[in-house]
Amino acid sequence: MSLYVLLSVLFAAFCHASWNALVKFGNDRFFGLVMIAIFSGVLTIPALFWFGLPSPDAVPWLALSVLFHIGYIYFLSQAYNHGDLSQIYPISRGSAPLITALLSIVLFNESLPFMSFVGIIFIISGVVAIAFAGRKFSLNIKGKALIFALCTAFFTACYTLSDGYGARASQDPVVYTLWLFLLNGAVLAIPGVMKYKRSLLHGFGQYWRSGLLGGLMQLISYGIAIWAMSQAPIVLVAAIRETSVLFAMFLSIVFLKEKFNGMRVLACIVILLGVLLAKLSS
């Protein structure tokens, strides 16, 4: 992985943490996620007139990814309804690279250098450690929140692999990304309209600013990630992208007034060591 790709993925991580924080700021997490998905889709429309249709080889991957993203949106919204950003985000994002690695080995026989794998383990360990509260190394999180967070991680791993191989199949990550967000926005608009048909206009008036900003951040974040997965191993990109928990932790402390302790300082150091090991070995 080149330094340019690494820095791009880190910037994508910051954008990812930012739009997740916007969801947590709202009262209705599912509506907030739907609005972000719709706006990210709308923002792609002008570019599609220039870039055109996706490659036929990418279409099956796009369809599969849309299904995985629907599951991701549902379980993420449920997780945020039952737990804090500083808990849900590290668990869901920290577990995802491990699941991604296992699925990539089993389904696609993708391998990594030993030190890259060690770096990924460091990153995952640091990410999950951020979710621990207090000094007794016990998770202060409700059972439902934990289950929803782990389900979110599973769907994250599934759409990560689908989009990584879809971008490679399309041979143009930009076109693949644009169509992915347009399709996601169109599909998620359906349950949004069905669920909120009586309060749709009121909800739009309340959430359109965060939806527009979040949609832009989501488009930039995942667009960079998809491009990076066409340039470097998918598992490695997925793991380094999870440094977004560092940014999420900062946002949760500053804006959401959530707690901070020494364990999370140590976890940050472990994550940074993991990134360094992954970079030096690739």
Side-chain angles (χ1 to χ4, degrees), residues 22-239:
L22 285 174
V23 172
K24 187 62 179 177
F25 288 149
N27 294 323
D28 191 328
R29 275 74 183 193
F30 183 74
F31 189 84
L33 284 166
V34 168
M35 289 293 291
I36 287 174
I38 291 174
F39 272 106
S40 64
V42 170
L43 289 171
T44 67
I45 294 176
L48 288 173
F49 287 102
W50 176 266
F51 286 99
L53 296 173
S55 165
D57 293 336
V59 173
W61 294 106
L62 280 169
L64 193 61
S65 182
V66 169
L67 292 176
F68 289 143
H69 273 86
I70 292 173
Y72 164 76
I73 291 294
Y74 171 76
F75 285 109
L76 181 62
S77 65
Q78 292 299 312
Y80 281 150
N81 282 333
H82 292 86
D84 291 335
L85 174 68
S86 60
Q87 295 175 323
I88 299 303
Y89 198 88
I91 293 172
S92 61
R93 304 309 303 184
S95 304
L98 180 58
I99 300 174
T100 303
L102 294 174
L103 290 176
S104 66
I105 292 171
V106 173
L107 299 177
F108 302 104
N109 294 318
E110 185 168 323
S111 59
L112 286 172
F114 177 73
M115 290 308 295
S116 291
F117 185 76
V118 173
I120 291 173
I121 296 300
F122 267 67
I123 294 171
I124 294 172
S125 300
V127 168
V128 175
I130 289 178
F132 283 81
R135 301 178 180 178
K136 296 183 178 180
F137 295 89
S138 59
L139 273 174
N140 183 22
I141 184 172
K142 296 179 181 178
K144 284 187 177 181
L146 180 60
I147 292 173
F148 286 131
L150 292 175
C151 289
T152 301
F154 173 76
F155 279 96
T156 300
C158 290
Y159 77 63
T160 297
L161 288 172
S162 178
D163 291 335
Y165 285 98
R168 294 178 182 181
S170 70
Q171 299 179 350
D172 192 337
V174 174
V175 175
Y176 181 91
T177 301
L178 293 173
W179 278 98
L180 173 64
F181 277 93
L182 179 65
L183 292 173
N184 274 337
V187 170
L188 287 171
I190 297 173
V193 171
M194 292 177 62
K195 183 176 181 179
Y196 300 99
K197 53 186 177 182
R198 295 183 179 180
S199 58
L200 188 63
L201 292 178
H202 174 74
F204 182 83
Q206 183 179 359
Y207 285 96
W208 75 266
R209 293 179 182 85
S210 61
L212 178 60
L213 180 59
L216 180 61
M217 289 182 174
Q218 188 183 65
L219 182 59
I220 293 172
S221 170
Y222 203 50
I224 292 174
I226 291 175
W227 165 78
M229 287 188 288
S230 70
Q231 306 294 315
I234 295 173
V235 176
L236 188 59
V237 173

Side-chain angles (χ1 to χ4, degrees), residues 126 129-130 137 260-272:
I130 289 178
F137 295 89
F260 182 72
N261 55 45
M263 170 60 69
R264 289 173 180 167
V265 174
L266 179 61
C268 292
I269 296 173
V270 172
I271 291 172
L272 294 176

